[in-house]
Amino acid sequence: MKISQNDNFDKLYNDFQKSSRHIDQEQKRMMQNQKDMKKHFDELTERVNKG
């Protein structure tokens, strides 16, 4: 009984670790997208101001 609970806990914990790693990666990706969009926007603004 106790062993299966521990196994279950390990499995849940591992799933949780995977999920949080995945969330970290998603957040980094979103931050990168925001930076790229801001850079793009700044370039457009610069072009319009020169225009």
Side-chain angles (χ1 to χ4, degrees), residues 5-43:
Q5 279 182 330
N6 274 350
D7 286 349
N8 205 9
F9 176 78
D10 285 347
K11 185 185 177 325
L12 282 173
Y13 185 73
N14 287 338
D15 288 348
F16 172 74
Q17 293 285 73
K18 279 183 207 153
S19 296
S20 63
R21 250 198 313 278
H22 182 67
I23 288 169
D24 283 350
Q25 287 170 345
E26 280 298 297
Q27 282 179 331
K28 282 182 191 140
R29 199 174 60 78
M30 284 168 65
M31 296 263 299
Q32 189 57 51
N33 280 350
Q34 275 184 325
K35 282 181 198 155
D36 292 346
M37 283 171 68
K38 183 176 180 340
K39 189 176 156 217
H40 186 63
F41 184 75
D42 289 347
E43 286 168 2

